Amino acid sequence: MIEKTLVLIKPDGVVRGLCGNIISRFENAGLKIVGMKMLWVSRDMAKEHYKEHVDKPFYVGLEKFITEGPVVGMVIEGNDAIEVVRKIVGPTEPKAAQPGTIRGDFSHISYKFADNKNIAVKNLIHASANQEDAEREISLWFAPEQIHDYENVFEKTL
Ligand code: ATP
Ligand code: MG
C-alpha cells in the first residue's frame, strides 16, 4: 500500500550536519519526499507531537532535546513507507541499532547513558510509528498545500 509518513531530523542530526546523508538514504531506497521544511519546535508543539509521552519520566529531557535547535521535517511517501522508513531508521536505542541503519551508523548511545545524565536519548530521527500516528503527525506538521503530488524517476521505472 502507498503510505505517507512523517520524518523529523532531530536537532542532533541538524547540528551534526547529517541532513544530506540522512535524506539520501530515503531517496536511495526510492522513497519520495513529498513535503519538506526546517523549523524550530516550540514547547507547545513538542507536547502536541509527543502527546503519548508527556506523562513519562523521560518527557522533560525529550522536550528539552527536541526544542534545543531546528529540526527538518519531511513527509515521505512510498510502498509501506511507515514500516520501511522505520527499518531504515533502526530501533529507538542507538546502542541496539544495527550498522546500516541511521541510528546504528551515527550513534551508539544507550538508554542507561541517557537516563544517568537525565537527558533524552539522542537518536537523530523521528518517524511515525503507525498509520494513525502518521495521519495525526502529518496534519500537525504540514498544511495540505505543503504536500506535493508528483511522480519521481523511481516510480517511472517500476
Ligand atoms: P520517535 O517517536 O522519536 O520516532 P521512537 O518511536 O523510536 O522515536 P518513542 O518510544 O516514541 O521512540 O520515544 C520517543 C523519543 O523519546 C525517542 O526517540 C527518544 O529520543 C526518547 N526516549 C524514549 N525512551 C527513552 C528513555 N527511556 N530514556 C531517554 N529517552 C527516551
Ligand atoms: Mg515514537
Side-chain angles (χ1 to χ4, degrees):
M1 201 176 90
I2 300 300
E3 296 174 337
K4 289 185 177 69
T5 185
L6 181 86
V7 172
L8 305 175
I9 303 176
K10 293 176 177 177
D12 55 335
V14 173
V15 297
R16 288 179 58 193
L18 294 173
C19 292
N21 191 307
I22 288 170
I23 292 165
S24 289
R25 290 164 181 245
F26 299 121
E27 288 184 323
N28 289 346
L31 291 157
K32 180 164 69 175
I33 298 164
V34 294
M36 184 182 274
K37 59 169 89 165
M38 177 178 264
L39 79 166
W40 202 308
V41 179
S42 68
R43 292 174 66 176
D44 285 349
M45 177 81 163
K47 287 190 180 71
E48 191 59 39
H49 174 77
Y50 280 128
K51 233 178 185 159
E52 63 186 300
H53 298 312
V54 171
D55 298 325
K56 294 185 183 162
F58 64 82
Y59 182 74
V60 175
L62 180 56
E63 184 180 285
K64 190 166 178 287
F65 169 39
I66 202 71
T67 60
E68 75 189 6
V71 305
V72 172
M74 289 175 274
V75 179
I76 294 185
E77 186 183 284
N79 183 191
D80 294 333
I82 297 168
E83 182 189 337
V84 170
V85 163
R86 286 190 61 107
K87 179 193 69 176
I88 293 170
V89 168
T92 308
E93 185 186 31
K95 181 192 167 192
Q98 290 296 316
T101 66
I102 294 169
R103 286 166 172 168
D105 281 352
F106 295 124
S107 182
H108 69 283
I109 294 307
S110 64
Y111 284 137
K112 199 172 167 193
F113 176 89
D115 292 348
N116 280 342
K117 289 182 77 176
N118 228 342
I119 59 171
V121 70
K122 297 193 176 186
N123 56 7
L124 302 150
I125 297 277
H126 164 79
S128 303
N130 54 53
Q131 185 75 47
E132 190 189 334
D133 284 2
E135 281 168 23
R136 184 181 77 82
E137 292 169 4
I138 290 169
S139 63
L140 176 67
W141 285 80
F142 284 82
E145 65 272 16
Q146 294 171 332
I147 300 171
H148 304 285
D149 190 7
Y150 66 96
E151 194 175 42
N152 69 5
V153 170
F154 191 84
E155 287 170 285
K156 287 184 204 290
T157 59
L158 279 179

